[in-house]
Amino acid sequence: MKKEDFFKILGELDDDIVKKAKIPIKIKKKKNWKIWGTTAACICLIICAFSAPRLFKQPNDNTSGDLSPMVYVNDTLYQNTNNQPDLTNQKDQLVYLGTISSKVSSSQYPQANFQANDDIIDSVVYQYGSDVVVENNGQYWLYRAILDVDYTTNNDGTYTCRGNTYKYKIEVSGIDGESQITYIILTNNTETRFEDVRSSLIKAEISTSNPEFIILGWYY
């Protein structure tokens, strides 16, 4: 077809036909923008959905330092157990020890006798075999000892263990594998390092001399 004939045919087209022919083209473009706009909005929502939990979680992780409920009774630290037995019919085996008289924050370890890191002051404490039971609001809660070595606290604030006397009871922390671990030790040197304690466990050396420190226990 010649160029002249092509323009002649276009000139004979009705204006309404031309307008109608343009409408689908405009609508198609609008639909494409709507599709891209909707897709972009969905992507933004997905990103927000994945990012929001992290943004909210991070402050909680930084501020959360609560420990498990613990009580310190007669030179021993006890921790609340996850699996609580039914002690309703075991009351005749409970031996009265005293009541919780003081507390520290939930991020600290109790260190004074009849002290807790939970708000359970005046709760009654019983001996139950090698464990203790705390009666709070009519319920009985079992606590197990987390220290493995017997020692005594002297009147002058020192500690005696296995015939040796130590001035301090401290905690040293470090990384063991992929976990953070803290050792509770008796020592005469407050500069005792985590590496020293870890090394003594690995070597498992037996010495008849006065050891530099005694490991009472540990927690993760």
Side-chain angles (χ1 to χ4, degrees):
M1 179 182 291
K2 295 182 179 180
K3 180 172 66 175
E4 292 80 7
D5 295 333
F6 178 76
F7 282 110
K8 183 177 179 181
I9 293 173
L10 285 178
E12 293 176 355
L13 290 175
D14 186 72
D15 290 339
D16 291 335
I17 296 175
V18 174
K19 290 180 181 180
K20 290 179 181 179
K22 291 180 179 180
I23 290 174
I25 299 174
K26 290 182 179 180
I27 292 176
K28 185 177 181 180
K29 289 183 179 180
K30 287 184 179 180
K31 283 184 178 180
N32 285 339
W33 280 110
K34 286 182 179 180
I35 292 172
W36 282 108
T38 303
T39 303
C42 291
I43 293 173
C44 290
L45 288 174
I46 293 171
I47 293 173
C48 291
F50 280 97
S51 300
R54 293 174 185 157
L55 293 174
F56 285 107
K57 184 178 181 180
Q58 187 173 358
N60 290 337
D61 288 346
N62 291 337
T63 57
S64 177
D66 290 350
L67 301 170
S68 299
M70 299 180 187
V71 295
Y72 188 87
V73 178
N74 296 336
D75 300 321
T76 304
L77 186 62
Y78 297 86
Q79 179 176 321
N80 188 278
T81 64
N82 292 327
N83 298 320
Q84 288 290 328
D86 184 4
L87 300 172
T88 306
N89 299 322
Q90 306 295 326
K91 294 181 182 179
D92 57 337
Q93 300 182 33
L94 304 180
V95 179
Y96 176 83
L97 294 177
T99 59
I100 300 297
S101 56
S102 63
K103 66 181 290 290
V104 294
S105 72
S106 57
S107 62
Q108 295 178 298
Y109 286 85
Q111 296 185 357
N113 202 24
F114 288 98
Q115 188 175 71
N117 65 345
D118 197 7
D119 190 14
I120 56 172
I121 291 181
D122 294 331
S123 295
V124 180
V125 182
Y126 302 92
Q127 191 74 49
Y128 180 66
S130 59
D131 306 321
V132 296
V133 172
V134 176
E135 182 183 359
N136 183 36
N137 294 328
Q139 291 185 306
Y140 295 88
W141 301 95
L142 182 69
Y143 287 69
R144 296 191 184 280
I146 63 173
L147 301 185
D148 304 319
V149 179
D150 292 330
Y151 68 99
T152 58
T153 303
N154 304 317
N155 294 332
D156 60 358
T158 61
Y159 306 90
T160 298
C161 181
R162 298 172 181 170
N164 300 311
T165 301
Y166 299 88
K167 294 180 180 179
Y168 312 106
K169 182 175 70 173
I170 64 173
E171 298 180 359
V172 291
S173 300
I175 301 298
D176 179 14
E178 298 180 353
S179 302
Q180 175 85 16
I181 185 172
T182 298
Y183 294 103
I184 306 170
I185 65 172
L186 297 179
T187 180
N188 286 318
N189 181 10
T190 56
E191 300 300 321
T192 303
R193 301 178 307 162
F194 171 82
E195 290 76 12
D196 298 329
V197 180
R198 183 68 182 132
S199 176
S200 70
L201 285 175
I202 294 174
K203 294 178 181 178
E205 294 178 342
I206 300 176
S207 175
T208 56
S209 61
N210 184 5
E212 293 184 29
F213 52 83
I214 294 287
I215 303 173
L216 298 177
W218 56 84
Y219 58 88
Y220 288 92

